[in-house]
Amino acid sequence: VWAWAKHVAKEKGIKVNWFHMSKRQSIKVVIDGAGGTVSDVVDVQIKDIRSAAGEILIVDGVTREGDVSVSQACMAWRRATDGAKAFFLVSSAAAVVALEQDKEVNLDTFTVGSWTLEQYQEAC
């Protein structure tokens, strides 16, 4: 997803907001395709997702404990733009979103196997 986000930002000249949520520290990374920069902000909260700028939103590190609140924040972010923007939830755990919610926001789910360390290094 990281390699794809960098590619899309550069190709389209747009901003992609990447939130990495973890138990220790959450980080927001802005990939600015037009300016060719990557900047980060440390210690962000789920509430920061709702006010994120940019055309694409990615939230990585979603856990079962936080999947509902993160999903709600992403859906609110997308609704604020009349559905014109896209968001992606990335998780190594099974996050559960009710089928009705999937339909309400036209949510697609893709199951992708884990990468090897070499594949991550090659993508970056």
Side-chain angles (χ1 to χ4, degrees):
V1 177
W2 177 257
W4 173 84
K6 288 183 71 175
H7 169 75
V8 168
K10 184 177 179 181
E11 187 76 20
K12 296 186 176 187
I14 62 173
K15 287 186 181 178
V16 175
N17 281 280
W18 182 295
F19 287 82
H20 186 272
M21 314 304 281
S22 82
K23 291 180 181 179
R24 287 183 284 137
Q25 188 175 49
S26 295
I27 300 171
K28 173 186 173 185
V29 177
V30 179
I31 304 167
D32 184 349
T37 60
V38 176
S39 58
D40 63 347
V41 178
V42 180
D43 290 331
V44 296
Q45 305 293 320
I46 290 176
K47 65 180 177 149
D48 297 320
I49 293 171
R50 293 175 186 260
S51 60
E55 288 73 23
I56 296 176
L57 173 66
I58 299 169
V59 183
D60 190 1
V62 179
T63 63
R64 288 184 184 158
E65 293 80 29
D67 67 337
V68 172
S69 56
V70 169
S71 296
Q72 289 173 342
C74 290
M75 288 179 206
W77 174 84
R78 186 166 184 260
R79 272 194 304 272
T81 66
D82 294 325
K85 298 181 180 183
F87 70 85
F88 301 85
L89 301 177
V90 181
S91 175
S92 60
V96 179
V97 178
L99 185 58
E100 304 83 44
Q101 291 176 351
D102 288 0
K103 290 179 182 177
E104 287 174 11
V105 295
N106 297 324
L107 186 68
D108 293 321
T109 301
F110 301 94
T111 303
V112 181
S114 295
W115 284 13
T116 65
L117 176 59
E118 292 78 20
Q119 288 171 315
Y120 277 110
Q121 290 170 334
E122 187 178 315
C124 294

